[in-house]
Amino acid sequence: MAAASTKIIDFAAERALAKDFLSNFAGPRGEPKYLNILQDVANRKIRAVQIELDDLFHYKDADDEFLQRVTENTKRYIGIFAEAIDELMPESTEAYVVDEDRDILMTQRVDEGADGGADGTDPLQKMPPEIRRFFEVYIKAFSKVTPLTIRQVKASNIGQLVKISGIVTRCSDVKPLMQVAVYTCEECGFEIYQEVTARVFMPLFECPSQRCKLNKAKGNLILQLRASKFLKFQEVKLQELAEHVPKGHIPRSLTVHLRGELTRKVAPGDVVEMSGIFLPMPYFGFRAMRAGLVADTYLEAMSITHFKKKYEEYELKGDEQEQIDRLAEDGDIYNKLARSLAPEIFGHEDVKKALLLLLVGAPHRKLVDGMKIRGDLHICLMGDPGVAKSQLLKHIINVAPRGVYTTGRGSSGVGLTAAVQKDPVTNEFVLEGGALVLADMGICAIDEFDKMEESDRTAIHEVMEQQTVSIAKAGITTSLNARTAVLAAANPAWGRYDMRRTPAENINLPPALLSRFDLLWLILDRADMENDLEMARHVVHVHQNLESPALGFTPLEPSVLRAYISAARRVVPSVPRELEEYIATAYSSIRQEEAKSNAPHSYTTIRTLLSILRISIALARLRFSETVAQSDVDEALRLMQMSKYSLYSDDRQRSGLDAISDIYSILRDEAARTNSMDVRYAHALNLISRKGYSEAQLKECLEEYASLNVWQIHPNTFDIHFIDA
C-alpha cells in the first residue's frame, strides 16, 4: 500500500505550490506579476488570467516534474490554479459597474446559505465554484517551443498542452455555451446545480433533494436561465499551411474550440499559432452507434498568436521606433523602401514605387452625408510573359499583413465575393466570404486577370469602387465589407503586346474596369543590348548566390517594412488650398492631351483626378507629413506618365526623334506655352521624367545646345535661359 501511495499525486500540495507561485512570482521590474493581474480581475478590468509556462520554468520552487505534470495533464491543473486563485482573490479597490444578474443573484445565494436555507448534506445543492468565478484561467505554452503541424499531433498527445500553427479557414458565430445549469424545485424551492462539462448534457427533471425524497414528492424542476452560467463559445477550423503539406497530399484540418475571452480573436484567412489542450470528443446519438469506439478530436485553445498583425494592431517595440525615426530622416527613403521590395527582381523601379504606395494607401474619406470615397489604390500590371509580374504579386502578399492570392482561371465570381453554404454544426444557410471579403483591410492579388470569364470579372466592379459585396441569395440579402486594394496582373489580348494594334485592342479590358484602376502599368519586353546584358548578369548572380547583388545599401526586411508602413498609415495628410489649382490644371491638361491623341492609351475620367490625390497623399504619408507638397503631386503625375512609358518610347522611335532632340522640343514648347525665356531646372527635370527620360539625358541635351548657343545655363542652379526668342 505504501509503495502505491508514492505514485499518487497530492493535489493539496500541488494547489499550495500553485498558490505560492501566484503569490511570489516577480515580473521583470520586481513587481508581483500575478497578484497585480488578480487585482485587475477583482476590479473587473480583465477576465482572463493567463499563466505562462515560461514563468513556471523560471520559478525557483517549481521543479521539472511539476512542469511536466502541468503540460501532460493541463485540464486538471487549470482547475488547481483556479482553486488557488479563489483563495488568493483580493477585494476590489476601485468602483466597477455591477452586473445585475450575476452580482445580485450571488449576494442572494450567499445570504440564503448563511440562513441555512440550503441543506448542507445534499451535494447537488452545494454551489459549484464555477458559478462564483468571474475569471477564466488559461495556461500558455512555452514561447520558445517550435509549433507542431497538424500531422505531427498524434494520439499520444491527448490531454497534453500542444502548440500548433496553421491558417484559419472557417469561424462559426459566437454562441453561449452552458457551464452550470441552475434549476429551482416547485415543491421545496431549493436551487439545484448541475455542472456541464461536455457539449451536450441531459437536463434534470425530478428534484433530487433530501426534502423531496423524504416527502416522496417528485418535485418538478424549472431551468433558471438567468441564474445559470454561460460562456462565450466559438468553433474554428484550422488548416495546415501549404509549406507543411507533403507532396501529393491534401492539407489536413483540425477543429478548435475557443471559449470566453479567446472568442472573436481570429478571422478566416489569418495565419496563427495556437496553444491548447488536445482532447477527444466522443460521438453522440446515432453517430456513436456507427463510430463504435472511435472518437473525434479537437483542440481547446489556451492562447492565440498572430504571425502578421494588422496595421492598426501593430505595436512598435523600442528599437523599431528608433529604426523608423532614423529611416524617416533619410532623404532617400522613398527609393530605398521601393528597392527593398523584391530586390531579387531586376529593374522595375517605378513599378516597385507604385506597389509601395499600394501598401501605404490613402485614408478613407467619409463625407458629411455619409458618402464614402475609397482610399485604397488599385493597380493592374499588364505585360509580356516573363517580366516577373507574378513574382511581384507573391512578394507583395508576403509583405502585406493581410493578403489573399488567387488566379483568374481558378476563381469564379462566387469564389471572389461570397458563397452560400450549409453550416455543418447548425444546418443553417450561412455566408462564406470569398477572396475579396477575406482580404478586407488588406490586399487581394489576382493573377491571370485576362483569363477570367467576363461574367466573373463583373463581380469585381462593385468591390473596386464601393468597397462592398452585395448579396441576394438563398433568402440572405446583405452587404459585406470588402475594403481591399486590388492588385491584378494580366497579359495583353494576344499573349504578347502587338505593336501593330492600338493600345485599346491590346489591353482588351472594358473601360468601366480600366477607369477603376489608379495605375495601369504596361511592361513591355523589348530587346535592348545593354539592358539585356545587365539583366542576365543579375539573374545569374541571384541563381548562384540565392540573393540579390549589392544595391548600395542593405535592403529592409519585410518585418521592418511592415513596421514602417504601419507607422506611416497613422498619418492623415491633407491637401493645402494653394495646391488645388495646380492639381486641377494638371488634370485638365491630361484630358486635353488625350483628346488630341488619336488612340488613347487610357481612359481619363474624374477617377483619374481622385487617383492623383490618393497617390499624392500616400507619398506624403511616407514622409510622415501632415500636408501634401507639390513634389508629391509631381511624383504622382510622373508615375501615371511612366506607367505608359514603354508605349511612348515606341512612339518616339516611329517619330524618328532621338532623345536629345525630343528633350529640346519639350523644353522649347514649355517656354513657348509660358511665354517666358527661362525654364527652371527642377521644372525641366519634372517635364522630361514624365516622358520617360533620365536626368543624365537632360544634362547631355543642355550641354549640346549650350555649345550651339541656343540657350545659357546657370553655373549653380542649371536653370535654362533661351538666347533667341
PDB file of all heavy atoms in Angstrom, residues 551-581:
ATOM      1  N   LEU A 551      23.036  46.492 -53.564  1.00  0.00           N
ATOM      2  CA  LEU A 551      22.215  47.615 -54.023  1.00  0.00           C
ATOM      3  C   LEU A 551      22.810  48.952 -53.591  1.00  0.00           C
ATOM      4  O   LEU A 551      22.235  50.002 -53.855  1.00  0.00           O
ATOM      5  CB  LEU A 551      20.798  47.503 -53.430  1.00  0.00           C
ATOM      6  CG  LEU A 551      19.950  46.307 -53.852  1.00  0.00           C
ATOM      7  CD1 LEU A 551      18.682  46.259 -53.027  1.00  0.00           C
ATOM      8  CD2 LEU A 551      19.602  46.377 -55.327  1.00  0.00           C
ATOM      9  N   GLY A 552      23.928  48.899 -52.862  1.00  0.00           N
ATOM     10  CA  GLY A 552      24.499  50.137 -52.338  1.00  0.00           C
ATOM     11  C   GLY A 552      23.986  50.432 -50.938  1.00  0.00           C
ATOM     12  O   GLY A 552      24.425  51.375 -50.291  1.00  0.00           O
ATOM     13  N   PHE A 553      23.007  49.670 -50.465  1.00  0.00           N
ATOM     14  CA  PHE A 553      22.507  49.782 -49.089  1.00  0.00           C
ATOM     15  C   PHE A 553      21.897  48.430 -48.724  1.00  0.00           C
ATOM     16  O   PHE A 553      21.650  47.597 -49.585  1.00  0.00           O
ATOM     17  CB  PHE A 553      21.457  50.898 -48.971  1.00  0.00           C
ATOM     18  CG  PHE A 553      20.157  50.591 -49.668  1.00  0.00           C
ATOM     19  CD1 PHE A 553      19.060  50.119 -48.950  1.00  0.00           C
ATOM     20  CD2 PHE A 553      20.018  50.763 -51.046  1.00  0.00           C
ATOM     21  CE1 PHE A 553      17.873  49.821 -49.587  1.00  0.00           C
ATOM     22  CE2 PHE A 553      18.825  50.471 -51.685  1.00  0.00           C
ATOM     23  CZ  PHE A 553      17.755  49.998 -50.944  1.00  0.00           C
ATOM     24  N   THR A 554      21.662  48.205 -47.441  1.00  0.00           N
ATOM     25  CA  THR A 554      21.090  46.921 -47.010  1.00  0.00           C
ATOM     26  C   THR A 554      19.579  46.964 -47.202  1.00  0.00           C
ATOM     27  O   THR A 554      18.914  47.843 -46.630  1.00  0.00           O
ATOM     28  CB  THR A 554      21.401  46.666 -45.516  1.00  0.00           C
ATOM     29  OG1 THR A 554      22.785  46.905 -45.304  1.00  0.00           O
ATOM     30  CG2 THR A 554      21.050  45.248 -45.115  1.00  0.00           C
ATOM     31  N   PRO A 555      19.000  46.061 -48.015  1.00  0.00           N
ATOM     32  CA  PRO A 555      17.543  46.078 -48.196  1.00  0.00           C
ATOM     33  C   PRO A 555      16.840  45.824 -46.861  1.00  0.00           C
ATOM     34  O   PRO A 555      17.318  45.071 -46.016  1.00  0.00           O
ATOM     35  CB  PRO A 555      17.280  44.925 -49.177  1.00  0.00           C
ATOM     36  CG  PRO A 555      18.594  44.579 -49.760  1.00  0.00           C
ATOM     37  CD  PRO A 555      19.635  44.981 -48.766  1.00  0.00           C
ATOM     38  N   LEU A 556      15.703  46.487 -46.676  1.00  0.00           N
ATOM     39  CA  LEU A 556      14.957  46.350 -45.418  1.00  0.00           C
ATOM     40  C   LEU A 556      14.204  45.028 -45.395  1.00  0.00           C
ATOM     41  O   LEU A 556      13.663  44.592 -46.411  1.00  0.00           O
ATOM     42  CB  LEU A 556      13.971  47.513 -45.269  1.00  0.00           C
ATOM     43  CG  LEU A 556      14.587  48.909 -45.318  1.00  0.00           C
ATOM     44  CD1 LEU A 556      13.502  49.966 -45.307  1.00  0.00           C
ATOM     45  CD2 LEU A 556      15.521  49.133 -44.151  1.00  0.00           C
ATOM     46  N   GLU A 557      14.163  44.403 -44.230  1.00  0.00           N
ATOM     47  CA  GLU A 557      13.429  43.143 -44.056  1.00  0.00           C
ATOM     48  C   GLU A 557      11.928  43.409 -44.173  1.00  0.00           C
ATOM     49  O   GLU A 557      11.463  44.508 -43.843  1.00  0.00           O
ATOM     50  CB  GLU A 557      13.708  42.569 -42.664  1.00  0.00           C
ATOM     51  CG  GLU A 557      15.126  42.097 -42.454  1.00  0.00           C
ATOM     52  CD  GLU A 557      15.430  40.826 -43.237  1.00  0.00           C
ATOM     53  OE1 GLU A 557      14.583  39.932 -43.261  1.00  0.00           O
ATOM     54  OE2 GLU A 557      16.509  40.760 -43.850  1.00  0.00           O
ATOM     55  N   PRO A 558      11.125  42.386 -44.595  1.00  0.00           N
ATOM     56  CA  PRO A 558       9.666  42.583 -44.661  1.00  0.00           C
ATOM     57  C   PRO A 558       9.060  43.045 -43.328  1.00  0.00           C
ATOM     58  O   PRO A 558       8.148  43.861 -43.308  1.00  0.00           O
ATOM     59  CB  PRO A 558       9.142  41.195 -45.054  1.00  0.00           C
ATOM     60  CG  PRO A 558      10.254  40.569 -45.809  1.00  0.00           C
ATOM     61  CD  PRO A 558      11.512  41.094 -45.185  1.00  0.00           C
ATOM     62  N   SER A 559       9.619  42.555 -42.201  1.00  0.00           N
ATOM     63  CA  SER A 559       9.068  42.952 -40.892  1.00  0.00           C
ATOM     64  C   SER A 559       9.296  44.445 -40.632  1.00  0.00           C
ATOM     65  O   SER A 559       8.428  45.140 -40.094  1.00  0.00           O
ATOM     66  CB  SER A 559       9.715  42.126 -39.778  1.00  0.00           C
ATOM     67  OG  SER A 559      11.120  42.276 -39.821  1.00  0.00           O
ATOM     68  N   VAL A 560      10.479  44.966 -41.061  1.00  0.00           N
ATOM     69  CA  VAL A 560      10.773  46.400 -40.888  1.00  0.00           C
ATOM     70  C   VAL A 560       9.875  47.221 -41.816  1.00  0.00           C
ATOM     71  O   VAL A 560       9.351  48.270 -41.426  1.00  0.00           O
ATOM     72  CB  VAL A 560      12.267  46.693 -41.170  1.00  0.00           C
ATOM     73  CG1 VAL A 560      12.574  48.176 -40.995  1.00  0.00           C
ATOM     74  CG2 VAL A 560      13.159  45.857 -40.269  1.00  0.00           C
ATOM     75  N   LEU A 561       9.697  46.716 -43.046  1.00  0.00           N
ATOM     76  CA  LEU A 561       8.797  47.391 -43.992  1.00  0.00           C
ATOM     77  C   LEU A 561       7.394  47.501 -43.408  1.00  0.00           C
ATOM     78  O   LEU A 561       6.758  48.552 -43.474  1.00  0.00           O
ATOM     79  CB  LEU A 561       8.727  46.588 -45.306  1.00  0.00           C
ATOM     80  CG  LEU A 561       9.714  46.967 -46.405  1.00  0.00           C
ATOM     81  CD1 LEU A 561       9.672  45.925 -47.507  1.00  0.00           C
ATOM     82  CD2 LEU A 561       9.376  48.314 -46.994  1.00  0.00           C
ATOM     83  N   ARG A 562       6.918  46.386 -42.822  1.00  0.00           N
ATOM     84  CA  ARG A 562       5.574  46.376 -42.226  1.00  0.00           C
ATOM     85  C   ARG A 562       5.474  47.400 -41.099  1.00  0.00           C
ATOM     86  O   ARG A 562       4.491  48.125 -40.986  1.00  0.00           O
ATOM     87  CB  ARG A 562       5.244  44.985 -41.682  1.00  0.00           C
ATOM     88  CG  ARG A 562       4.559  44.094 -42.680  1.00  0.00           C
ATOM     89  CD  ARG A 562       3.859  42.937 -41.986  1.00  0.00           C
ATOM     90  NE  ARG A 562       4.790  41.984 -41.405  1.00  0.00           N
ATOM     91  CZ  ARG A 562       5.365  40.993 -42.089  1.00  0.00           C
ATOM     92  NH1 ARG A 562       5.094  40.837 -43.360  1.00  0.00           N
ATOM     93  NH2 ARG A 562       6.196  40.159 -41.503  1.00  0.00           N
ATOM     94  N   ALA A 563       6.533  47.454 -40.259  1.00  0.00           N
ATOM     95  CA  ALA A 563       6.528  48.397 -39.131  1.00  0.00           C
ATOM     96  C   ALA A 563       6.516  49.837 -39.640  1.00  0.00           C
ATOM     97  O   ALA A 563       5.763  50.675 -39.137  1.00  0.00           O
ATOM     98  CB  ALA A 563       7.758  48.155 -38.251  1.00  0.00           C
ATOM     99  N   TYR A 564       7.319  50.121 -40.676  1.00  0.00           N
ATOM    100  CA  TYR A 564       7.384  51.490 -41.224  1.00  0.00           C
ATOM    101  C   TYR A 564       6.037  51.882 -41.831  1.00  0.00           C
ATOM    102  O   TYR A 564       5.530  52.980 -41.594  1.00  0.00           O
ATOM    103  CB  TYR A 564       8.487  51.574 -42.290  1.00  0.00           C
ATOM    104  CG  TYR A 564       8.770  52.998 -42.752  1.00  0.00           C
ATOM    105  CD1 TYR A 564       9.755  53.756 -42.139  1.00  0.00           C
ATOM    106  CD2 TYR A 564       8.035  53.579 -43.776  1.00  0.00           C
ATOM    107  CE1 TYR A 564      10.006  55.058 -42.542  1.00  0.00           C
ATOM    108  CE2 TYR A 564       8.271  54.883 -44.180  1.00  0.00           C
ATOM    109  CZ  TYR A 564       9.257  55.621 -43.567  1.00  0.00           C
ATOM    110  OH  TYR A 564       9.489  56.918 -43.960  1.00  0.00           O
ATOM    111  N   ILE A 565       5.462  50.946 -42.607  1.00  0.00           N
ATOM    112  CA  ILE A 565       4.178  51.245 -43.272  1.00  0.00           C
ATOM    113  C   ILE A 565       3.073  51.433 -42.235  1.00  0.00           C
ATOM    114  O   ILE A 565       2.227  52.318 -42.368  1.00  0.00           O
ATOM    115  CB  ILE A 565       3.830  50.132 -44.296  1.00  0.00           C
ATOM    116  CG1 ILE A 565       4.800  50.193 -45.495  1.00  0.00           C
ATOM    117  CG2 ILE A 565       2.399  50.266 -44.791  1.00  0.00           C
ATOM    118  CD1 ILE A 565       4.795  48.969 -46.380  1.00  0.00           C
ATOM    119  N   SER A 566       3.096  50.609 -41.163  1.00  0.00           N
ATOM    120  CA  SER A 566       2.054  50.740 -40.133  1.00  0.00           C
ATOM    121  C   SER A 566       2.155  52.102 -39.446  1.00  0.00           C
ATOM    122  O   SER A 566       1.141  52.712 -39.110  1.00  0.00           O
ATOM    123  CB  SER A 566       2.160  49.614 -39.104  1.00  0.00           C
ATOM    124  OG  SER A 566       3.246  49.831 -38.254  1.00  0.00           O
ATOM    125  N   ALA A 567       3.402  52.596 -39.267  1.00  0.00           N
ATOM    126  CA  ALA A 567       3.573  53.930 -38.674  1.00  0.00           C
ATOM    127  C   ALA A 567       3.114  55.010 -39.654  1.00  0.00           C
ATOM    128  O   ALA A 567       2.476  55.995 -39.257  1.00  0.00           O
ATOM    129  CB  ALA A 567       5.038  54.137 -38.297  1.00  0.00           C
ATOM    130  N   ALA A 568       3.426  54.814 -40.950  1.00  0.00           N
ATOM    131  CA  ALA A 568       3.042  55.808 -41.965  1.00  0.00           C
ATOM    132  C   ALA A 568       1.526  55.884 -42.131  1.00  0.00           C
ATOM    133  O   ALA A 568       0.967  56.958 -42.362  1.00  0.00           O
ATOM    134  CB  ALA A 568       3.702  55.460 -43.301  1.00  0.00           C
ATOM    135  N   ARG A 569       0.840  54.752 -41.981  1.00  0.00           N
ATOM    136  CA  ARG A 569      -0.620  54.720 -42.187  1.00  0.00           C
ATOM    137  C   ARG A 569      -1.387  55.457 -41.091  1.00  0.00           C
ATOM    138  O   ARG A 569      -2.574  55.686 -41.218  1.00  0.00           O
ATOM    139  CB  ARG A 569      -1.095  53.270 -42.273  1.00  0.00           C
ATOM    140  CG  ARG A 569      -0.782  52.617 -43.606  1.00  0.00           C
ATOM    141  CD  ARG A 569      -1.150  51.165 -43.578  1.00  0.00           C
ATOM    142  NE  ARG A 569      -2.585  50.965 -43.607  1.00  0.00           N
ATOM    143  CZ  ARG A 569      -3.295  50.626 -44.683  1.00  0.00           C
ATOM    144  NH1 ARG A 569      -2.682  50.457 -45.825  1.00  0.00           N
ATOM    145  NH2 ARG A 569      -4.592  50.447 -44.614  1.00  0.00           N
ATOM    146  N   ARG A 570      -0.706  55.794 -39.997  1.00  0.00           N
ATOM    147  CA  ARG A 570      -1.379  56.544 -38.921  1.00  0.00           C
ATOM    148  C   ARG A 570      -1.482  58.029 -39.247  1.00  0.00           C
ATOM    149  O   ARG A 570      -2.218  58.765 -38.606  1.00  0.00           O
ATOM    150  CB  ARG A 570      -0.625  56.345 -37.604  1.00  0.00           C
ATOM    151  CG  ARG A 570      -0.857  54.944 -37.059  1.00  0.00           C
ATOM    152  CD  ARG A 570       0.008  54.596 -35.889  1.00  0.00           C
ATOM    153  NE  ARG A 570      -0.041  53.135 -35.695  1.00  0.00           N
ATOM    154  CZ  ARG A 570       0.843  52.448 -35.017  1.00  0.00           C
ATOM    155  NH1 ARG A 570       1.859  53.058 -34.459  1.00  0.00           N
ATOM    156  NH2 ARG A 570       0.733  51.142 -34.879  1.00  0.00           N
ATOM    157  N   VAL A 571      -0.689  58.475 -40.225  1.00  0.00           N
ATOM    158  CA  VAL A 571      -0.707  59.901 -40.609  1.00  0.00           C
ATOM    159  C   VAL A 571      -1.874  60.128 -41.574  1.00  0.00           C
ATOM    160  O   VAL A 571      -2.112  59.319 -42.464  1.00  0.00           O
ATOM    161  CB  VAL A 571       0.630  60.292 -41.293  1.00  0.00           C
ATOM    162  CG1 VAL A 571       0.675  61.770 -41.603  1.00  0.00           C
ATOM    163  CG2 VAL A 571       1.805  59.890 -40.425  1.00  0.00           C
ATOM    164  N   VAL A 572      -2.601  61.228 -41.375  1.00  0.00           N
ATOM    165  CA  VAL A 572      -3.717  61.567 -42.282  1.00  0.00           C
ATOM    166  C   VAL A 572      -3.415  62.922 -42.917  1.00  0.00           C
ATOM    167  O   VAL A 572      -3.784  63.975 -42.376  1.00  0.00           O
ATOM    168  CB  VAL A 572      -5.072  61.597 -41.522  1.00  0.00           C
ATOM    169  CG1 VAL A 572      -6.216  61.880 -42.478  1.00  0.00           C
ATOM    170  CG2 VAL A 572      -5.299  60.291 -40.773  1.00  0.00           C
ATOM    171  N   PRO A 573      -2.701  62.953 -44.061  1.00  0.00           N
ATOM    172  CA  PRO A 573      -2.327  64.239 -44.673  1.00  0.00           C
ATOM    173  C   PRO A 573      -3.527  64.906 -45.352  1.00  0.00           C
ATOM    174  O   PRO A 573      -4.483  64.245 -45.752  1.00  0.00           O
ATOM    175  CB  PRO A 573      -1.269  63.855 -45.717  1.00  0.00           C
ATOM    176  CG  PRO A 573      -0.966  62.407 -45.480  1.00  0.00           C
ATOM    177  CD  PRO A 573      -2.177  61.823 -44.822  1.00  0.00           C
ATOM    178  N   SER A 574      -3.440  66.230 -45.471  1.00  0.00           N
ATOM    179  CA  SER A 574      -4.498  66.984 -46.165  1.00  0.00           C
ATOM    180  C   SER A 574      -3.870  67.740 -47.331  1.00  0.00           C
ATOM    181  O   SER A 574      -2.670  68.019 -47.330  1.00  0.00           O
ATOM    182  CB  SER A 574      -5.169  67.959 -45.200  1.00  0.00           C
ATOM    183  OG  SER A 574      -4.186  68.830 -44.664  1.00  0.00           O
ATOM    184  N   VAL A 575      -4.694  68.091 -48.320  1.00  0.00           N
ATOM    185  CA  VAL A 575      -4.209  68.831 -49.494  1.00  0.00           C
ATOM    186  C   VAL A 575      -4.387  70.322 -49.210  1.00  0.00           C
ATOM    187  O   VAL A 575      -5.514  70.775 -48.972  1.00  0.00           O
ATOM    188  CB  VAL A 575      -4.994  68.421 -50.766  1.00  0.00           C
ATOM    189  CG1 VAL A 575      -4.503  69.210 -51.967  1.00  0.00           C
ATOM    190  CG2 VAL A 575      -4.856  66.927 -51.013  1.00  0.00           C
ATOM    191  N   PRO A 576      -3.300  71.119 -49.206  1.00  0.00           N
ATOM    192  CA  PRO A 576      -3.437  72.558 -48.912  1.00  0.00           C
ATOM    193  C   PRO A 576      -4.154  73.298 -50.045  1.00  0.00           C
ATOM    194  O   PRO A 576      -4.155  72.846 -51.200  1.00  0.00           O
ATOM    195  CB  PRO A 576      -1.983  73.022 -48.767  1.00  0.00           C
ATOM    196  CG  PRO A 576      -1.164  72.019 -49.490  1.00  0.00           C
ATOM    197  CD  PRO A 576      -1.910  70.727 -49.428  1.00  0.00           C
ATOM    198  N   ARG A 577      -4.731  74.459 -49.711  1.00  0.00           N
ATOM    199  CA  ARG A 577      -5.521  75.233 -50.690  1.00  0.00           C
ATOM    200  C   ARG A 577      -4.686  75.662 -51.892  1.00  0.00           C
ATOM    201  O   ARG A 577      -5.173  75.676 -53.016  1.00  0.00           O
ATOM    202  CB  ARG A 577      -6.101  76.479 -50.024  1.00  0.00           C
ATOM    203  CG  ARG A 577      -7.322  76.181 -49.191  1.00  0.00           C
ATOM    204  CD  ARG A 577      -8.167  77.425 -49.003  1.00  0.00           C
ATOM    205  NE  ARG A 577      -9.426  77.098 -48.342  1.00  0.00           N
ATOM    206  CZ  ARG A 577     -10.489  76.629 -48.952  1.00  0.00           C
ATOM    207  NH1 ARG A 577     -10.453  76.410 -50.252  1.00  0.00           N
ATOM    208  NH2 ARG A 577     -11.597  76.366 -48.297  1.00  0.00           N
ATOM    209  N   GLU A 578      -3.408  76.040 -51.625  1.00  0.00           N
ATOM    210  CA  GLU A 578      -2.578  76.556 -52.728  1.00  0.00           C
ATOM    211  C   GLU A 578      -2.294  75.500 -53.794  1.00  0.00           C
ATOM    212  O   GLU A 578      -1.877  75.843 -54.906  1.00  0.00           O
ATOM    213  CB  GLU A 578      -1.272  77.150 -52.195  1.00  0.00           C
ATOM    214  CG  GLU A 578      -0.439  76.233 -51.320  1.00  0.00           C
ATOM    215  CD  GLU A 578      -0.743  76.368 -49.833  1.00  0.00           C
ATOM    216  OE1 GLU A 578      -1.863  76.813 -49.482  1.00  0.00           O
ATOM    217  OE2 GLU A 578       0.122  76.002 -49.036  1.00  0.00           O
ATOM    218  N   LEU A 579      -2.489  74.193 -53.475  1.00  0.00           N
ATOM    219  CA  LEU A 579      -2.225  73.139 -54.467  1.00  0.00           C
ATOM    220  C   LEU A 579      -3.464  72.787 -55.280  1.00  0.00           C
ATOM    221  O   LEU A 579      -3.361  72.056 -56.263  1.00  0.00           O
ATOM    222  CB  LEU A 579      -1.710  71.877 -53.762  1.00  0.00           C
ATOM    223  CG  LEU A 579      -0.197  71.755 -53.560  1.00  0.00           C
ATOM    224  CD1 LEU A 579       0.142  70.432 -52.924  1.00  0.00           C
ATOM    225  CD2 LEU A 579       0.551  71.877 -54.881  1.00  0.00           C
ATOM    226  N   GLU A 580      -4.632  73.271 -54.848  1.00  0.00           N
ATOM    227  CA  GLU A 580      -5.881  72.859 -55.511  1.00  0.00           C
ATOM    228  C   GLU A 580      -5.869  73.232 -56.992  1.00  0.00           C
ATOM    229  O   GLU A 580      -6.194  72.421 -57.855  1.00  0.00           O
ATOM    230  CB  GLU A 580      -7.083  73.491 -54.802  1.00  0.00           C
ATOM    231  CG  GLU A 580      -7.365  72.858 -53.442  1.00  0.00           C
ATOM    232  CD  GLU A 580      -8.461  73.559 -52.677  1.00  0.00           C
ATOM    233  OE1 GLU A 580      -9.100  74.467 -53.256  1.00  0.00           O
ATOM    234  OE2 GLU A 580      -8.680  73.203 -51.509  1.00  0.00           O
ATOM    235  N   GLU A 581      -5.458  74.481 -57.287  1.00  0.00           N
ATOM    236  CA  GLU A 581      -5.454  74.957 -58.673  1.00  0.00           C
ATOM    237  C   GLU A 581      -4.435  74.186 -59.508  1.00  0.00           C
ATOM    238  O   GLU A 581      -4.690  73.834 -60.662  1.00  0.00           O
ATOM    239  CB  GLU A 581      -5.141  76.461 -58.688  1.00  0.00           C
ATOM    240  CG  GLU A 581      -5.326  77.139 -60.044  1.00  0.00           C
ATOM    241  CD  GLU A 581      -6.741  76.962 -60.609  1.00  0.00           C
ATOM    242  OE1 GLU A 581      -7.718  77.009 -59.816  1.00  0.00           O
ATOM    243  OE2 GLU A 581      -6.863  76.750 -61.830  1.00  0.00           O
TER     244      GLU A 581
END
